[in-house]
């Protein structure tokens, strides 16, 4: 029997139906976000193996149970990883059910974290995660951690950081390095660094691919079902617990969340999961200015509506200066082009 | 030869090997995974290093996932990945020179 490897276009209803059926038979949830799918078809046009990708992650990998042991997954993964590499993704990730861990370990993927009885999160770099940990620098005693998107950096972020910095000897501040919103990472980083210049016990890090990235937490960036968000959040925190134990972090701070659904859910998962790893979760009531809660989404909305002066009291001097300068033109244009600047 | 950009050659199918080369920092770092590691790990490693040496590669991060490839296959995959990584695969492969 020979198989042919073909791309499965989103428009190809017949192949997509076969893919759905195969995934369902193998007990795999079809991911809501796939930017590429392929499959191996037998001589009769029947789908016997499938795999997909989104960004730098391989997803929805399955081989029909009647075709095990023929090395079909090898073909699918070869094809996907070559394609991802050609698209510039050298560092690749995947999740698999715990029982299929061995298959992917034999294909050059290495474990980052696992949730017992459920899934294993893997990367194609040997020791990639360990290298990330050692790149974080010195371990400091009595330290807390904040992970933020700062999209853009407001007085609310500063309030949270300052509070953590006053209650702990050190604060590890991780800024999401994924390009997701209208404000580029380089700009977010610049505004954060300027905004925390005077806080000496804050240590700045880039989050890299291991914290709230589209690999660990895809539903943070793209709407998905609550069950998926929960599962992603649990995995993300599992990885975080490893980072925390490396850096000796005992607390994680976050602002309370009322508007963003996914962040709210993430906070509640943090409240229940972090204590399991011996990490205290501190949810800080958000800063208010003249009765209105300070939030980056409100600021984005105001910029979108051309009403920056209305939110200027929510911004530190450095952020305000940036948005009034000519440097910000392209960023402002990007925010204005958004249909729903509040989202996420 | 200098590794300019990451490149890959080969597949994960049986009797083949998937080789990825990336720019390195002054030395050769080889990460090898093989289905016949216990039997042939040392031999495979040596073949990869010899091939890189013949190609004049002195700085690279090389990842290889071997599925029981023969030496000639390993050489070919390493050569191909290196040629792709320095943009030679389109035009000027040194047949009969470095590639023997």
């Amino acid at each position: 029997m020979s198989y042919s490897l073909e791309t499965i276009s989103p428009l190809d209803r017949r192949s997509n139906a076969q893919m759905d059926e195969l995934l369902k038979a193998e007990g795999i949830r079809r991911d809501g976000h796939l930017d590429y799918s392929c499959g191996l078809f037998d001589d009769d046009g029947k789908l016997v193996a499938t795999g997909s990708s989104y960004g730098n992650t391989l997803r929805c990998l399955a081989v029909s149970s009647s075709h095990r042991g023929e090395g079909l997954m090898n073909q699918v993964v070869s094809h996907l990883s070559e394609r991802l590499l050609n698209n510039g993704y050298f560092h690749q990730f995947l999740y698999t059910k715990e029982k299929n861990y061995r298959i992917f370990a034999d294909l050059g993927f290495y474990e980052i974290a696992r949730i017992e009885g459920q899934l294993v999160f893997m990367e194609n770099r040997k020791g990639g995660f360990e290298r990330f940990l050692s790149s974080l620098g010195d371990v400091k005693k009595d330290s807390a951690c904040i992970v933020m998107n700062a999209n853009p950096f407001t007085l609310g972020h500063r309030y949270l950081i300052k509070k953590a910095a006053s209650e702990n000897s050190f604060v590890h501040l991780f800024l999401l390095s994924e390009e997701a919103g209208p404000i580029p990472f380089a700009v977010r980083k610049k505004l954060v660094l300027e905004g925390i210049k005077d806080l000496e016990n804050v240590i700045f890090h880039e989050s890299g691919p291991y914290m709230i990235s589209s690999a660990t937490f895809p539903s943070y960036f793209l709407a998905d079902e609550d069950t998926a968000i929960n599962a992603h959040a649990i995995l993300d925190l599992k990885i975080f617990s490893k980072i925390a134990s490396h850096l000796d972090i005992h607390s994680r701070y976050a602002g309370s969340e009322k508007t963003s659904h996914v962040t709210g859910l993430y906070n509640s998962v943090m409240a229940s999961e972090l204590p399991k790893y011996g990490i205290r979760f501190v949810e800080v009531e958000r800063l208010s200015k003249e009765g209105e809660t300070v939030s980056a989404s409100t600021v984005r909305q105001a910029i979108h509506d051309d009403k920056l002066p209305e939110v200027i009291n929510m911004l530190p001097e450095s952020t305000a200066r940036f948005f009034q300068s000519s440097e910000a033109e392209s960023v402002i244009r990007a925010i204005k082009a958004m249909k729903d600047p509040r989202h996420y | 030869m200098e590794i300019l950009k990451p490149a890959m050659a080969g597949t994960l199918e049986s009797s083949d090997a998937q080789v990825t080369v990336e720019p390195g920092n002054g030395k050769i770092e080889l990460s090898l995974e093989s289905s016949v590691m216990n039997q042939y790990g040392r031999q495979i490693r040596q073949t990869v290093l010899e091939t890189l040496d013949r190609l004049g590669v002195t700085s690279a991060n090389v990842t290889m996932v071997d599925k029981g490839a023969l030496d000639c296959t390993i050489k070919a995959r390493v050569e191909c990945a290196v040629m792709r990584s320095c943009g030679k695969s389109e035009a000027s492969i040194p047949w009969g020179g470095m590639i023997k």
Side-chain angles (χ1 to χ4, degrees):
Chain A
M1 183 75 83
S2 68
Y3 305 105
S4 64
L5 191 127
E6 285 165 36
T7 300
I8 297 177
S9 146
L11 303 173
D12 182 348
R13 293 232 298 271
R14 192 169 160 270
S15 297
N16 273 285
Q18 287 205 60
M19 188 175 143
D20 284 337
E21 203 179 307
L22 177 56
L23 289 175
K24 199 173 156 202
E26 301 307 319
I28 296 168
R29 192 184 81 98
R30 182 178 178 138
D31 211 299
H33 306 288
L34 301 174
D35 51 23
Y36 177 79
S37 297
C38 69
L40 283 170
F41 293 85
D42 69 9
D43 291 342
D44 304 325
K46 187 171 175 294
L47 182 71
V48 294
T50 181
S52 302
S53 65
Y54 177 78
N56 58 0
T57 51
L58 309 187
R59 299 183 179 190
C60 297
L61 302 157
V63 172
S64 159
S65 51
S66 51
H67 292 270
R68 295 275 156 75
E70 296 178 35
L72 299 184
M73 186 54 81
N74 303 28
Q75 291 186 44
V76 171
V77 172
S78 291
H79 173 73
L80 289 173
S81 64
E82 186 171 355
R83 189 176 178 280
L84 253 53
L85 189 91
N86 289 336
N87 287 345
Y89 297 112
F90 311 115
H91 197 174
Q92 301 170 4
F93 299 86
L94 64 79
Y95 317 89
T96 177
K97 285 192 214 163
E98 200 177 20
K99 70 179 170 72
N100 293 336
Y101 160 75
R102 229 15 275 171
I103 298 174
F104 296 100
D106 285 342
L107 296 177
F109 282 83
Y110 304 90
E111 174 174 341
I112 300 168
R114 74 169 61 204
I115 296 177
E116 292 301 329
Q118 288 185 47
L119 59 90
V120 183
F121 182 53
M122 308 175 85
E123 66 183 336
N124 68 343
R125 295 261 161 100
K126 198 176 197 164
F129 185 54
E130 287 73 16
R131 273 200 293 280
F132 170 73
L133 290 181
S134 56
S135 76
L136 296 174
D138 295 342
V139 175
K140 307 277 189 187
K141 284 252 170 304
D142 182 32
S143 58
C145 173
I146 302 174
V147 183
M148 60 174 52
N149 195 353
N151 194 15
F153 189 72
T154 66
L155 284 177
H157 295 111
R158 197 183 142 79
Y159 170 75
L160 179 66
I161 297 168
K162 224 176 152 179
K163 184 168 165 62
S166 67
E167 291 172 1
N168 302 277
S169 306
F170 292 96
V171 176
H172 290 281
L173 174 66
F174 286 88
L175 181 68
L176 297 200
S177 43
E178 187 114 352
E179 297 287 3
I183 308 176
F185 172 67
V187 171
R188 288 188 287 122
K189 180 176 171 179
K190 176 176 111 93
L191 296 179
V192 171
L193 288 176
E194 281 181 36
I196 60 167
K197 238 184 341 206
D198 56 319
L199 303 171
E200 278 171 2
N201 59 345
V202 178
I203 306 157
F204 179 87
H205 305 282
E206 297 180 9
S207 70
Y210 303 103
M211 284 172 136
I212 320 185
S213 69
S214 61
T216 65
F217 201 157
S219 51
Y220 183 83
F221 300 96
L222 295 154
D224 211 328
E225 296 159 21
D226 281 6
T227 47
I229 298 175
N230 258 310
H232 294 155
I234 288 170
L235 174 68
D236 183 79
L237 293 172
K238 176 84 194 190
I239 302 169
F240 174 72
S241 74
K242 296 194 166 196
I243 297 171
S245 85
H246 173 79
L247 286 175
D248 205 7
I249 290 167
H250 59 63
S251 306
R252 177 152 167 184
Y253 283 66
S256 61
E257 184 60 58
K258 295 183 192 82
T259 46
S260 160
H261 178 63
V262 63
T263 315
L265 214 52
Y266 187 46
N267 278 1
S268 71
V269 177
M270 277 199 278
S272 63
E273 288 292 314
L274 288 179
K276 291 183 194 166
Y277 305 116
I279 302 165
R280 195 165 62 104
F281 177 57
V282 186
E283 194 168 16
V284 178
E285 190 59 35
R286 279 187 180 238
L287 180 70
S288 287
K289 286 277 175 189
E290 286 145 35
E292 203 182 344
T293 315
V294 175
S295 90
S297 60
T298 311
V299 172
R300 290 198 300 277
Q301 183 73 51
I303 294 172
H304 179 265
D305 302 340
D306 243 333
K307 289 175 182 161
L308 182 63
E310 287 182 15
V311 293
I312 211 90
N313 65 348
M314 292 186 180
L315 302 176
E317 194 270 329
S318 46
T319 305
R321 183 157 33 87
F322 173 79
F323 279 104
Q324 286 160 340
S325 73
S326 56
E327 249 182 296
E329 273 171 25
S330 64
V331 177
I332 292 177
R333 220 176 306 128
I335 295 174
K336 283 187 176 166
M338 289 177 84
K339 276 199 200 85
D340 179 10
R342 276 186 185 272
H343 185 67
Y344 284 102
Chain B
M1 230 170 268
E2 197 188 341
I3 305 296
L4 301 175
K5 58 171 201 262
M8 183 190 268
T11 73
L12 298 166
E13 288 174 55
S14 189
S15 306
D16 199 350
Q18 188 192 58
V19 177
T20 313
V21 294
E22 291 169 78
N25 37 15
K27 56 182 191 294
I28 305 277
E29 272 185 50
L30 171 61
S31 142
L32 175 66
E33 194 70 32
S34 174
S35 52
V36 288
M37 188 66 112
N38 296 336
Q39 298 91 327
Y40 298 111
R42 259 176 303 178
Q43 165 81 23
I44 295 168
R45 188 170 284 275
Q46 197 191 340
T47 305
V48 174
L49 294 177
E50 273 173 14
T51 309
L52 290 171
D53 186 52
R54 176 157 48 80
L55 296 173
V57 177
T58 50
S59 167
N61 289 332
V62 181
T63 312
M64 174 157 155
V65 184
D66 168 66
K67 290 288 166 198
L70 297 173
D71 273 9
C72 53
T73 311
I74 296 171
K75 281 182 196 157
R77 294 311 193 190
V78 173
E79 285 166 353
C80 181
V82 170
M83 291 300 145
R84 283 178 177 166
S85 78
C86 51
K88 290 228 168 165
S89 58
E90 290 85 12
S92 50
I93 292 181
W95 296 115
M98 277 181 201
I99 305 280
K100 321 187 211 200

